[in-house]
Amino acid sequence: MPNHLYHLTANQVTCGIRNGEFSAQEYIFQILERIEKVDNKINAFILVDKQGAIEKARSIDKRLRDGGAVGELAGIAVGIKDNICIKDLKTTCASNILESYIPPYDADVIRRLKENDAIVVGKLNLDEFAMGSTTEFSRYGPTRNPWNLDYVAGGSSGGSAASVAASECAVSLGSDTGGSIRCPSSFCSVVGLKPTYGCVSRSGLISYSNSLEQIGPLGKTVLDVVMVMNAIAGIDENDQTTKPIRPIATRTSEDISTSNISSKYTAGQNKRNITIGLVKELIQGADPAVSKCIYTAVDLFEGLDCKCEETSMKSIQYALASYYTIATAEASSNLARYDNIRYGFDYDPEGYEWNTYFSNVRNNFGDEAKRRIIIGSYVLSAGYYGKYYLKAQKARERIRQEIKSLFERFDVLIGPTMPILPFKIGEKIDDPLKMYQIDIDTVIANLAGIPAISIPIGFSNSFPVGLQIMADYMGEQTLFDVASFFEKIVDVRRSPEI
Amino acid sequence: MVEVKIGLEIHCQLTGLSSKLFCPCQCDYRGEVPNTTICPICLGLPGTLPLLNKRAVAFASMISMALGCKVQERITFYRKNYFYPDLPKNFQITQYNAFGITSIGADGKVDLGAKSIGIRRVQLEEDPGRLIYENADVNANFYTLIDYNRAGVALVEIVTEPDFDNPKDVRLFLDKVTSTIEHLGVCDIKLDGSLRCDVNVSLKGGKKVEIKNINSFGDVEKALRYEITRQKTMLIREIEIKSETRHWDDARKVTMQSRTKEEEQDYKYFPEPDIPTIILGDQFISTIKAKMPELPDERKIRFLKDYALSDHVAKVLIDNKELADFFESTVKLYPSSPNEIAHWIISDLLGLVDDSKKEERSLLSGLRIEPKHIAELVKMIDQNKVNRNIAKSVLSQIARTGEMPSCVLDKMNASLIDSESKIAEAIDSIFELEISAVRDAKHNPNAMNFLLGKVMQMTRGRADPKITLNLIKARLARME
Amino acid sequence: MVSKDEIKHLGWLSRLELTNAELDRYVSQIDEIIRYFDKLDTIPLSESEWSYSTKEVSELRDDTNRVFKWGKLQSLKNRKDGFIKGPKMS
Ligand SMILES: [Mg+2]
Ligand SMILES: [Zn+2]
């Protein structure tokens, strides 16, 4: 039995358990011990379901002993962002408003994970209702970056990225509305995917901005992320915005090469099998510490049968304004339901006039949530609808159209995931606009509904840098092929010292 | 004459559905234990998404078509954002016509004979929950009880243009729309609260006053009359009419200013992102068209043609599907006299229904009369087995007991005396008793009628008056 | 320019009771953000419609009813005689 089972990738874990190298229980005890040991430093977990995890591990071991069948993800420790509902387990969205809320149903992704015999170990920290880019806006305090505990882990799925980076679980689920999976993946040096809009059911994901967000997997390798994606993706009768998706062929970095990457445009040619568009605006807008790292990687690909070409995306100038207009508008409406009557914290409504009661209880929203509710209210109000919300939708359509035309020329588009390196906790918290502006590279994929992945590409000043790869609508296969290929070329995987 | 403009907003529950509009909970909440026909979706629990009901879309399309609307090829939903404790999400999923998006039905027209009423839109939306007050005086309660069983039940809202200029036309329109909805079979209009109507009134092109909370369609006309008089009085006294929402006080039969002054509402409408735009397409629309049941207008034309009814009689029957159906079932049992049957239904049968039942539009529920009764009764009249006077009392007996007419007649021993010999016997005895009248009767028609009356009295009305009169005349003639 | 009154009114519409300190902070922050949004206004309204995700009517949910089975743990609170207790209306 190898030492430090918690360091293994998800694929290694499930293979090891199936091959009898170690049991699911041995593994899960190591994971729980690891969480106990390091999470007081990282603050990735809001809740650890020890009992549930051990019971699940036992049942997997028993079935394997009895020669029974186990699911694709058998034994893998999975952490869940705490805005995804798990039946009979507290789901807080890192908000005071939901501090004692217990969902009566499983999110569709949870149902699928359970069916695939993954072991859910607990709920992970996030910015309140997923609104933020640092995980600082959590009622449970910020999640810390495993590479430097004084720095932010990114957000809003900070707990999802940090827990994987710190080997507190093998893979995790996050949600990505404007970069919330990719940003912390980049900051913590893990792989994180924002799937095509509609590929993964949102049923059970507590809404922040419905037309933009998707649940997606985070892991140590592209393969791990593919495995989880295959388990959670697919049409769901509880989410009418889901679309059917073909299963993704899993390729390990050993068996991927440019010749077997699914490319729309250069199939059949032996050389220069993939065409890559390097988005000029994204590179130019990035901190030199970041762009240098990206260019180094691009040079590596250039020598390896890839055609890299700089390209421009003019509509990017509208992306952030469009994103924040739509996101806050939808958020202001989604968050209206929290009036503490049907569920929430203890606060008897008797004796209160209803408007007073509503205002009192809703005062428990944190600073950023309140700010976004008001901005959203502003852009939707009768006098401004045409000036902001409607225009934001038209800008979104421009971006979509331009992206569409770019994918007529390129298999994938690349650029930095984040324009800057991780920064100190507290550094930007008082300047919301500055904070919003670091989402510039990631919001494009959400606005266009296309898939995007962040993969570790190196380190700059000992902080991780992530490369963002975007593919065409429903182009997950190409995205994963290219990501696996790059992962093989620039293998930077290592573990932070904690 | 002061110019009056009235517009209506009618909410119709699609009680013909099995499940709610956006979740699989049972649609029928009436009589259920509070908060039992609910699920995470209709309670708006975090993470739930609306799951649009296919048949609700079909029903709303049918209503749209029946009201002369064009059914849109693609439909989108909107969020109407406002806070209220009966709204689980503090927004209502509804439809709206703006920014190039329209509700399922738009631009319709309903013919009222002399004029027609424009239908602005027909839209699908969700019903909120119900607030219950333990103390009838709302202000005296320290808390409110909420039952969410109704939350999420499918509603179709019909919004008219402000095309009415008097309350009577409103009544005609509501009768027609009610009958149409009944004929479509999408809503059981007899259920309390299944049809609700809010009205807008403005005078002389002035500010619009909205009246809510009118619980029955019968009160719509009353509320309108009250409100028009109120506003006219204000005009005469030169008091400014403000745009406001008023409530109909059912007990006092007046409109009242709403307790909390609703400030300028801003519903912050925007398209619902959790429901994709639904493409209805030609095939769906033509399937619905093909499946449309016969509507009141078509049915009336058929009644005029097939049964030779008068326009008035046909209208009374068809304004109430229950009556029209009763009529047709009766005619099927006895096809010879549709007109006689129709008259028995709209005058005599309706005469037995009390006004409160008429208001509920549940006309025949308290009576035990079925089509077979009327069929037999009319047949007996046609065969001279009973005269109309007796038939009437037979009918009111049936209404209580549900017996067949022949049975009732037997019991009353009331078979019409049609044998002339029996009548002649009676005439003989009257002629012996009323000698002076007999003498006068030769010249005086009043005396003749007096004798007829006496014979009828003696036979307790069972003698056929025509035959009796002829026999009296013949007897007098013989005496000459 | 976003005004304090405007933020206060939006707060009321969203049933958020903002303190004076919050109001002051939000006014300047939101003003800056809204002004950043103003660049959207350079896009002409005539710009093509935005595209929606679509679904065929045949793909919608069938009208059959099903009883939801609530879990063993209490998700709903403020219950009284089967009702849910809310604040007073007036
Ligand atoms: Mg309505
Ligand atoms: Zn329900």
Side-chain angles (χ1 to χ4, degrees):
Chain A
M1 184 171 98
N3 294 327
H4 301 323
L5 295 179
Y6 52 80
H7 274 319
L8 298 180
T9 68
N11 185 46
Q12 288 166 339
V13 168
T14 193
C15 290
I17 292 173
R18 284 158 204 270
N19 298 339
E21 290 164 37
F22 49 89
S23 72
Q25 282 179 84
E26 282 167 326
Y27 166 70
I28 215 66
F29 277 119
Q30 278 209 22
I31 285 284
L32 294 171
E33 220 172 281
R34 172 77 176 171
I35 295 172
E36 194 122 302
K37 200 173 134 226
V38 303
D39 204 56
N40 55 350
K41 296 180 212 159
I42 306 287
N43 195 27
F45 278 86
I46 289 176
L47 179 149
V48 179
D49 183 19
K50 267 190 194 172
Q51 199 196 329
I54 294 167
E55 272 170 26
K56 182 77 183 185
R58 268 200 197 120
S59 101
I60 292 164
D61 286 339
K62 183 174 184 315
R63 258 180 291 154
L64 282 171
R65 265 200 316 276
D66 299 348
V70 290
E72 289 291 316
L73 304 179
I76 298 170
V78 187
I80 307 294
K81 189 178 183 179
D82 202 22
N83 61 348
I84 298 170
C85 293
I86 301 182
K87 190 178 176 185
D88 293 343
L89 214 56
K90 229 167 59 170
T91 297
T92 70
C93 280
S95 175
N96 284 323
I97 292 266
L98 287 179
E99 66 173 17
S100 49
Y101 173 63
I102 298 168
Y105 71 103
D106 275 331
D108 184 62
V109 291
I110 298 299
R111 180 183 64 77
R112 290 170 187 259
L113 286 181
K114 286 179 175 174
E115 275 174 18
N116 278 285
D117 286 327
I119 302 178
V120 173
V121 289
K123 304 302 289 284
L124 298 165
N125 204 5
L126 67 153
D127 287 294
E128 183 178 8
F129 285 100
M131 296 176 177
S133 310
T134 59
T135 319
E136 289 169 285
F137 295 118
S138 162
R139 86 176 288 290
Y140 301 101
T143 293
R144 292 166 184 277
N145 193 315
W147 297 91
N148 185 330
L149 298 176
D150 293 332
Y151 282 68
V152 298
S156 63
S157 312
S160 306
S163 60
V164 171
S167 293
E168 296 176 86
C169 50
V171 287
S172 64
L173 292 186
S175 67
D176 190 314
T177 312
S180 283
I181 288 174
R182 290 159 289 155
C183 161
S185 296
S186 171
F187 279 6
C188 295
S189 197
V190 299
V191 180
L193 168 78
K194 197 285 298 183
T196 298
Y197 187 81
C199 277
V200 179
S201 168
R202 289 180 296 114
S203 168
L205 169 66
I206 299 184
S207 307
Y208 152 31
S209 179
N210 328 51
S211 75
L212 295 161
E213 66 204 1
Q214 278 287 284
I215 292 172
L218 297 87
K220 292 174 177 170
T221 65
V222 175
L223 176 62
D224 283 4
V225 166
V226 175
M227 283 169 61
V228 177
M229 178 63 183
N230 273 336
I232 63 172
I235 203 150
D236 172 25
E237 60 171 28
N238 289 318
D239 178 356
Q240 291 184 333
T241 62
T242 50
K243 303 252 152 112
I245 178 180
R246 260 176 305 171
I248 297 142
T250 50
R251 294 178 188 146
T252 58
S253 26
E254 288 82 54
D255 57 45
I256 190 108
S257 74
T258 48
S259 59
N260 59 13
I261 290 177
S262 65
S263 163
K264 273 198 283 191
Y265 310 111
T266 50
Q269 297 176 25
N270 289 329
K271 287 216 155 183
R272 302 218 169 268
N273 269 359
I274 43 175
T275 52
I276 299 167
L278 186 58
V279 184
K280 201 169 66 185
E281 286 81 359
L282 299 187
I283 288 275
Q284 284 169 352
D287 190 316
V290 172
S291 50
K292 207 183 88 202
C293 215
I294 302 288
Y295 278 125
T296 312
V298 167
D299 287 344
L300 270 176
F301 310 146
E302 268 287 340
L304 286 160
D305 294 352
C306 299
K307 195 169 86 180
C308 271
E309 196 181 291
E310 218 171 60
T311 184
S312 168
M313 202 193 287
K314 297 216 168 46
S315 54
I316 280 181
Q317 56 174 316
Y318 299 113
L320 215 54
S322 170
Y323 168 78
Y324 272 98
T325 301
I326 294 167
T328 55
E330 290 178 1
S332 71
S333 169
N334 288 328
L335 266 49
R337 77 189 63 195
Y338 302 108
D339 55 25
N340 212 49
I341 292 184
R342 296 156 297 279
Y343 48 89
F345 53 91
D346 265 344
Y347 190 53
D348 193 342
E350 185 168 333
Y352 289 95
E353 189 275 328
W354 73 275
N355 286 300
T356 312
Y357 184 79
F358 279 21
S359 305
N360 278 354
V361 297
R362 288 171 59 75
N363 226 24
N364 283 287
F365 279 120
D367 201 44
E368 184 60 19
K370 283 187 203 169
R371 196 158 34 235
R372 293 198 193 189
I373 289 171
I374 292 183
I375 298 170
S377 218
Y378 187 98
V379 298
L380 282 178
S381 50
Y384 294 124
Y385 185 94
K387 193 169 154 72
Y388 299 109
Y389 185 81
L390 199 59
K391 294 281 175 81
Q393 291 290 5
K394 297 203 180 269
R396 184 177 187 172
E397 183 59 21
R398 266 200 192 186
I399 291 162
R400 211 183 311 226
Q401 293 301 335
E402 192 173 11
I403 291 264
K404 208 172 155 194
S405 70
L406 284 173
F407 283 116
E408 277 159 21
R409 288 161 48 208
F410 300 106
D411 286 307
V412 292
L413 297 172
I414 63 167
T417 305
M418 297 302 292
I420 52 171
L421 295 175
F423 45 92
K424 273 205 162 128
I425 290 172
E427 197 181 305
K428 291 193 198 303
I429 199 154
D430 294 323
D431 193 340
L433 183 59
K434 266 223 178 79
M435 189 85 106
Y436 295 174
Q437 281 167 337
I438 67 172
D439 296 340
I440 180 66
D441 300 348
T442 45
V443 295
I444 301 158
N446 303 83
L447 288 166
I450 57 170
I453 197 167
S454 178
I455 61 167
I457 198 97
F459 288 80
S460 188
N461 309 330
S462 68
F463 283 105
V465 174
L467 173 79
Q468 181 177 216
I469 312 167
M470 294 182 267
D472 201 359
Y473 184 74
M474 293 282 176
E476 263 81 356
Q477 185 69 61
T478 305
L479 188 70
F480 280 125
D481 287 349
V482 173
S484 303
F485 179 67
F486 288 1
E487 182 184 54
K488 179 178 161 184
I489 308 299
V490 294
D491 187 11
V492 291
R493 204 157 67 79
R494 56 190 167 95
S495 298
E497 307 275 332
I498 310 161
Chain B
M1 265 296 280
V2 181
E3 181 209 0
V4 177
K5 271 190 174 179
I6 303 166
L8 310 178
E9 286 170 18
I10 303 164
H11 286 93
C12 165
Q13 271 181 350
L14 301 181
T15 61
L17 296 175
S18 304
S19 64
K20 293 184 180 179
L21 183 54
F22 296 123
C23 67
C25 288
Q26 107 184 22
C27 161
D28 183 9
Y29 60 89
R30 291 176 175 84
E32 295 290 342
V33 175
N35 297 308
T36 52
T37 60
I38 53 171
C39 75
I41 298 174
C42 51
L43 276 178
L45 293 196
T48 54
L49 302 168
L51 307 172
L52 181 57
N53 182 332
K54 197 190 299 173
R55 191 185 282 162
V57 175
F59 281 5
S61 307
M62 287 162 67
I63 294 177
S64 300
M65 285 177 197
L67 300 181
C69 291
K70 181 179 166 6
V71 173
Q72 306 300 312
E73 284 210 2
R74 35 179 58 206
I75 57 167
T76 300
F77 286 81
Y78 267 87
R79 284 192 189 176
K80 180 180 183 180
N81 294 287
Y82 66 99
F83 284 86
Y84 212 71
D86 61 6
L87 266 187
K89 301 182 289 291
N90 285 314
F91 62 78
Q92 181 195 33
I93 304 178
T94 177
Q95 296 192 288
Y96 190 57
N97 294 5
F99 319 112
I101 299 173
T102 78
S103 53
I104 188 157
D107 297 329
K109 212 175 74 175
V110 170
D111 189 20
L112 282 191
K115 62 152 83 169
S116 67
I117 303 299
I119 305 293
R120 186 173 293 171
R121 61 178 192 264
V122 174
Q123 66 191 28
L124 264 173
E125 60 184 34
E126 49 183 348
D127 214 349
R130 277 181 337 120
L131 302 180
I132 290 120
Y133 306 104
E134 285 177 342
N135 191 318
D137 173 12
V138 175
N139 289 295
N141 291 283
F142 283 96
Y143 54 85
T144 312
L145 296 177
I146 314 175
D147 175 12
Y148 290 103
N149 282 349
R150 194 180 70 181
V153 166
L155 294 178
V156 162
E157 180 174 338
I158 302 161
V159 182
T160 76
E161 297 292 347
D163 287 348
F164 300 94
D165 56 18
N166 68 75
K168 202 168 160 274
D169 284 349
V170 170
R171 180 76 219 205
L172 284 177
F173 175 83
L174 289 176
D175 283 344
K176 182 155 185 185
V177 167
T178 308
S179 176
T180 303
I181 283 165
E182 268 190 297
H183 277 83
L184 291 173
V186 297
C187 168
D188 184 348
I189 57 154
K190 292 186 194 91
L191 297 173
D192 187 33
S194 62
L195 272 180
R196 292 167 252 159
C197 182
D198 298 338
V199 301
N200 296 305
V201 191
S202 68
L203 260 58
K204 271 178 128 176
K207 293 267 169 57
K208 207 169 71 176
V209 174
E210 188 176 13
I211 310 167
K212 293 191 158 177
N213 197 35
I214 312 176
N215 287 323
S216 80
F217 274 21
D219 277 358
V220 170
E221 207 176 339
K222 288 179 203 149
L224 281 171
R225 288 194 197 287
Y226 178 88
E227 183 59 22
I228 290 167
T229 311
R230 189 187 71 88
Q231 290 190 25
K232 275 183 182 165
T233 313
M234 287 175 78
L235 282 181
I236 291 166
R237 295 187 191 156
E238 296 186 327
I239 304 170
E240 186 197 355
I241 297 168
K242 288 198 197 95
S243 172
E244 63 173 333
T245 302
R246 300 178 70 83
H247 281 70
W248 174 243
D249 185 327
D250 195 33
R252 296 166 53 205
K253 305 289 176 205
V254 294
T255 68
M256 301 277 290
Q257 186 168 30
S258 298
R259 255 184 324 275
T260 47
K261 227 173 104 52
E262 274 172 67
E263 50 196 291
E264 198 61 33
Q265 277 285 17
D266 186 345
Y267 292 121
K268 294 179 285 178
Y269 282 102
F270 73 99
E272 167 61 68
D274 287 331
I275 303 174
T277 288
I278 308 298
I279 301 169
L280 300 184
D282 294 343
Q283 202 201 329
F284 173 79
I285 292 170
S286 55
T287 312
I288 297 279
K289 242 182 211 147
K291 279 197 294 198
M292 281 283 271
E294 185 183 42
L295 292 174
D297 280 349
E298 300 154 23
R299 196 175 194 185
K300 189 173 154 197
I301 292 169
R302 185 166 59 80
F303 275 23
L304 296 179
K305 195 173 126 259
D306 290 5
Y307 307 123
L309 301 182
S310 77
D311 201 78
H312 169 74
V313 169
K315 185 185 175 318
V316 173
L317 286 175
I318 277 156
D319 264 353
N320 198 308
K321 182 168 181 288
E322 194 183 9
L323 282 191
D325 289 348
F326 190 100
F327 166 74
E328 290 214 275
S329 308
T330 312
V331 170
K332 220 172 253 164
L333 295 173
Y334 181 62
S336 313
S337 301
N339 243 303
E340 185 79 22
I341 289 171
H343 280 106
W344 273 93
I345 291 170
I346 70 169
S347 54
D348 300 281
L349 186 53
L350 276 187
L352 296 170
V353 178
D354 59 44
D355 285 347
S356 66
K357 289 269 188 236
K358 279 182 190 158
E359 211 47 79
E360 287 167 29
R361 294 190 62 102
S362 145
L363 296 172
L364 308 173
S365 63
L367 307 177
R368 301 186 61 179
I369 300 174
E370 292 169 38
K372 62 177 182 194
H373 297 122
I374 303 288
E376 194 185 63
L377 200 62
V378 172
K379 187 174 178 186
M380 288 167 81
I381 292 165
D382 281 356
Q383 293 171 346
N384 278 325
K385 286 189 180 153
V386 66
N387 71 31
R388 287 199 171 77
N389 280 333
I390 291 177
K392 267 185 198 172
S393 51
V394 169
L395 190 70
S396 54
Q397 169 113 8
I398 297 168
R400 289 189 304 273
T401 63
E403 292 163 290
M404 286 304 286
S406 48
C407 222
V408 176
L409 272 173
D410 280 350
K411 275 195 198 154
M412 287 165 82
N413 188 21
S415 290
L416 194 60
I417 302 175
D418 52 1
S419 98
E420 296 194 5
S421 62
K422 282 217 176 120
I423 296 173
E425 270 172 40
I427 291 173
D428 283 346
S429 31
I430 292 297
F431 269 54
E432 271 168 37
L433 288 168
E434 305 288 345
I435 298 165
S436 68
V438 170
R439 198 171 43 227
D440 292 351
K442 290 174 188 167
H443 322 286
N444 184 349
N446 282 337
M448 175 106 74
N449 282 335
F450 173 80
L451 288 175
L452 175 61
K454 283 286 172 189
V455 175
M456 293 307 285
Q457 214 174 356
M458 178 170 254
T459 59
R460 283 184 288 139
R462 280 168 286 157
D464 186 306
K466 235 189 235 164
I467 298 170
T468 310
L469 193 63
N470 285 338
L471 287 174
I472 291 173
K473 279 181 184 162
R475 172 88 195 244
L476 287 170
R478 277 206 306 278
M479 286 172 68
E480 300 226 342
Chain C
M1 189 71 195
V2 176
S3 72
K4 197 166 166 176
D5 279 349
E6 221 169 347
I7 299 295
K8 205 169 174 175
H9 178 64
L10 291 171
W12 159 251
L13 281 183
S14 309
R15 296 301 183 277
L16 291 176
E17 197 182 78
L18 303 174
T19 63
N20 249 324
E22 279 175 320
L23 273 175
D24 288 334
R25 196 149 36 90
Y26 290 162
V27 168
S28 63
Q29 288 173 342
I30 293 174
D31 183 59
E32 195 187 8
I33 292 162
I34 294 292
R35 268 192 285 170
Y36 179 81
F37 288 178
D38 278 343
K39 67 171 61 179
L40 291 172
D41 219 15
T42 59
I43 298 176
L45 262 183
S46 56
E47 190 96 340
S48 68
E49 294 283 317
W50 78 78
S51 44
Y52 313 91
S53 88
T54 58
K55 198 143 219 165
E56 296 288 326
V57 69
S58 58
E59 297 173 86
L60 294 178
R61 179 174 64 85
D62 285 326
D63 178 36
T64 47
N65 64 30
R66 198 167 63 219
V67 177
F68 179 77
K69 287 190 187 66
W70 292 84
K72 55 183 185 296
L73 295 177
Q74 189 83 284
S75 297
L76 299 178
K77 57 188 202 83
N78 291 334
R79 306 196 84 148
K80 186 180 193 299
D81 311 331
F83 289 98
I84 286 173
K85 195 163 85 173
K88 60 179 192 171
M89 289 314 291
S90 71

